Amino acid sequence: MSEALDPRTKLQSMLQPVNNFHLESSETCLEILSAVLEEKGEKDVVILSKGHSAPAFYVMLHEMGLLSDEELYSFADIDGLPSHVIRGLPFIEVSSGSLGQGLSVANGIAMAKRMDGEEGYVYVILGDGELDEGQVWEAAMTASHHRLDRVIAIVDRNYFQLTGGTEEILSKEPLADKWRAFGWEVMGVPNRKEELKKALETAKKLGGRPKVIIARWEV
Amino acid sequence: MIESFREAFGRALVELGEENPNIVVLDADVKSSTKTAYFERAFPERFIQVGISEQDMVSMAGGLAIGGKIPVVSAFAAFLMRAWEQIRNTIARDNLNVKLIPTHSGFSDHMDGSSHQCLEDIALMRVLPNMTVVVPADAPSVPVLLKQVIELEGPVYMRLGRDHAPRVYDSPKLKLGKASVLRKGSDVLLVAAGVMVSVALETARKLEERGISAGVVDMHTIKPLDEETLLRLAAKVDLVVTLEEHSIHGGLGGAVAEVLSEKMPKRLIRIGTTEFGRSSRDYFSLLERYGLTAESVVKKVEVMLT
C-alpha cells in the first residue's frame, strides 16, 4: 500500500502514531538523503550525524526496497526500528542520536582510508541546530588541518531547531563565512535533490580541503 | 629499570607498534606528558594530532576503529573524562575497538592540584556496558597488560598514573580478567589496584608484625571483576579491605562491595577518597593526607578487628 505513497506522505503516515516524532527535521532531510544515497559509491560511507532524522532514512530504505511495509511501520516499537539510527542498519557505520559527534567520526574514517590508500568519500549529514555543539568546530579544524578532502559535510539548513528558529536560539549566520574561515570549501544550494546531486558531483572533484554543502530549505 | 607508569607506557606502545601496523595513536597536545611522543617519533605516519580537543579525539578514534585501525587515545585522565559522553554514545554503545589509555590518574599530578587529579574515572568507565577497565599496579605490569589490551577486541579503559610506580613485580605474569594473588592470609584480605597494590603489600607486612595475617590481591582488571578469585579468598577471612587511589564510591571498592553484599556478606573497609584533591609539592604528602598509606590502613584494620 505504501508503494503508491510519495516519500513525504509515507513519512507522515509512519510518524502519525508516534506524535509526529521529529517530523519536520525528517522532512527537510528527505531530499538530502535521497541525493546522498543516489550518489553514494560502493567505497563511500554515509554518516547521519543528525540521528533524529532516522524516520527520513527509513523512508529512503523503504523506497530502495530494503525495508518492508511492516518494518517501516514498526518505527520506535520496542523491537522495531530504533528512533535514532544505530550501527548495524544498512549503510549505518556509527550510531548517532547525540549531536555533534558525526563529523569527528567521519574524519576518523577518512583518515583510516587515507592511511590504507583506500578510495571513497565520507558523507556526513549535519543539522543546522547541531552546529551549536562545540565539537563540530573542533572537528572542522581537524578536517582542514589534516586536509581530509574526502570528507563532504551536508548541513540541513532548515532554519529551525528544537525550541525555535536557529537565529533566535543561537545565531548561525554568517554560516558560509564560518566554514570558510575554518578552511573548508563551501557550497550553498537549495535543498532539492537534483541541485544537491550536482553539488556533490562538484565537491568530489575539488581536492585539497574538506567540503561543506549548505542545503537551504526554501518554503 | 623503568619505575614510571608513563615511561613504561610510552616505550611499550612503540614495541607494540612495531608488531602491529594497525595501531594508531591520537593526541590532544599532551604527547610529551603522556609519552606518546615516543610513538610519534617511531611512527609519525600513524600518529594523529587533534589539538586540545578531547571530545573530537575520542569520536575520531571511533571513526578510525570503524576503518579497521586500533586507535590508542591518551590524555590526562581528568580531561579524557570531558569526553565521557562521546565514550558512552559512540565508543561503548557501538562496542568499537578503541583503547582509552590516560596517564596522570589519581593524585599523580600532585603539583597541578584538584583540576588535574582524577579520582572518579574508574566509576565513570565501569558503569559503561562493553567497557573493560584495567589498572596496572606498576611499571613492569604496563607492557604485559597493554599487549593484552591491544589484542582484546573491544573498548578498554586502562588507567595509568604519572611517574611514581613502586615496584611490585620483577617479571609479572598477568592475565587480563584474572586477579593476581600476591600473598595468602587468614585474617584479612587486601584487594588493591594501581599504586595501592604496593601499599597493600606494605600493610600486610606491618599487620604480620602485629600478629594479623593478611592476604593481598592485585585486582588489575576491575571490569570484568574476577569474582571467583575474590570470593574464594574472601571466604577464608573475617575482613576485606579495598585500596585504591580513587573515590570509594563506584570504583574498586564499589565493585567489591557489590559482589560481597550479594554473594558473601562480609565486613568491608573501603580505602580511597571522598573529596577532591589539592595541589602539593610532593605526591606522598597527598597520599598521607588522604589516608592512603600503610600506617593509616593498619590503624583502620586494627580498629575493626578488635
Side-chain angles (χ1 to χ4, degrees), chain B residues 31-303:
Chain B
K31 61 188 177 186
S32 52
S33 300
T34 59
K35 303 300 172 192
T36 57
Y38 301 158
F39 190 92
E40 182 189 32
R41 199 186 306 151
F43 312 104
E45 72 292 352
R46 287 195 267 147
F47 184 83
I48 302 164
Q49 183 57 260
V50 299
I52 312 167
S53 50
E54 292 79 11
Q55 301 169 37
D56 184 36
M57 174 167 67
V58 166
S59 303
M60 192 179 183
L64 285 154
I66 290 166
K69 300 294 171 193
I70 306 174
V72 173
V73 172
S74 191
F76 285 29
F79 305 124
L80 191 56
M81 293 305 104
R82 184 188 183 102
W84 184 85
E85 198 263 350
Q86 282 77 6
I87 296 172
R88 177 197 184 273
N89 264 324
T90 298
I91 308 305
R93 200 157 58 107
D94 282 355
N95 200 18
L96 298 177
N97 196 20
V98 173
K99 313 305 172 185
L100 304 156
I101 312 186
T103 58
H104 296 66
S105 68
F107 288 115
S108 65
D109 193 0
H110 54 88
M111 268 303 279
D112 278 317
S114 53
S115 58
H116 287 55
Q117 292 159 0
C118 190
L119 303 164
E120 308 82 13
D121 52 333
I122 298 175
L124 287 166
M125 290 297 118
R126 194 170 74 82
V127 76
L128 295 173
N130 296 329
M131 186 66 71
T132 295
V133 180
V134 183
V135 184
D138 67 356
S141 298
V142 172
V144 177
L145 290 169
L146 182 62
K147 188 172 165 48
Q148 298 173 57
V149 161
I150 295 289
E151 282 164 3
L152 183 76
E153 179 74 27
V156 180
Y157 182 78
M158 177 157 143
R159 180 196 212 229
L160 300 175
R162 188 171 176 260
D163 285 327
H164 178 67
R167 175 154 301 219
V168 172
Y169 299 98
D170 287 323
S171 52
K173 291 183 179 57
L174 303 171
K175 195 168 174 298
L176 213 58
K178 185 81 188 141
S180 165
V181 181
L182 295 171
R183 194 181 158 117
K184 298 258 160 73
S186 53
D187 300 319
V188 186
L189 176 65
L190 306 173
V191 183
V195 161
M196 294 304 286
V197 173
S198 75
V199 174
L201 287 168
E202 195 187 339
T203 302
R205 285 192 291 271
K206 287 183 190 297
L207 287 172
E208 190 175 33
E209 289 163 15
R210 289 161 171 78
I212 299 168
S213 161
V216 175
V217 173
D218 168 13
M219 197 60 86
H220 52 74
T221 308
I222 293 181
K223 186 181 173 224
L225 193 77
D226 182 1
E227 293 188 18
E228 191 264 321
T229 303
L230 173 66
L231 292 170
R232 180 166 47 80
L233 298 175
K236 298 174 185 162
V237 297
D238 298 323
L239 176 66
V240 175
V241 181
T242 59
L243 303 93
E244 63 196 308
E245 200 184 350
H246 181 273
S247 169
I248 59 168
H249 304 295
L252 173 65
V256 169
E258 286 163 19
V259 173
L260 292 181
S261 59
E262 276 192 348
K263 298 186 174 165
M264 192 183 284
K266 182 86 42 187
R267 284 192 297 168
L268 175 71
I269 306 175
R270 290 168 298 154
I271 304 293
T273 62
T274 52
E275 50 190 291
F276 292 112
R278 55 175 63 218
S279 55
S280 170
R281 292 180 190 179
D282 77 294
Y283 174 68
F284 299 100
S285 308
L286 285 167
L287 295 186
E288 260 170 49
R289 177 67 63 92
Y290 292 91
L292 305 181
T293 60
E295 293 74 19
S296 171
V297 180
V298 165
K299 270 184 211 152
K300 287 182 180 159
V301 170
E302 283 189 317
V303 168

Side-chain angles (χ1 to χ4, degrees), chain A residues 86-87 93-96 98 101 104-105 107-109 111-112 115-116 135 138-139 142 146, chain B residues 24 45 48-50 53 55-56 59-60 63-64 66-67 69 85-86 89-90 93-94 96:
Chain A
I86 58 164
R87 180 166 163 87
E93 298 278 354
V94 68
S95 301
S96 51
S98 172
Q101 301 179 25
S104 302
V105 177
N107 289 344
I109 295 174
M111 187 75 91
M115 285 173 166
D116 292 341
Q135 187 184 347
E138 293 180 359
T142 302
H146 290 284
Chain B
V24 297
E45 72 292 352
I48 302 164
Q49 183 57 260
V50 299
S53 50
Q55 301 169 37
D56 184 36
S59 303
M60 192 179 183
L64 285 154
I66 290 166
K69 300 294 171 193
E85 198 263 350
Q86 282 77 6
N89 264 324
T90 298
R93 200 157 58 107
D94 282 355
L96 298 177

Side-chain angles (χ1 to χ4, degrees), chain A residues 24-44:
Chain A
E24 292 87 353
S25 57
S26 290
E27 278 178 340
T28 61
C29 211
L30 280 171
E31 302 263 315
I32 295 173
L33 279 165
S34 176
V36 168
L37 290 173
E38 283 181 28
E39 278 297 310
K40 184 192 173 306
E42 205 179 314
K43 304 266 183 180
D44 298 345

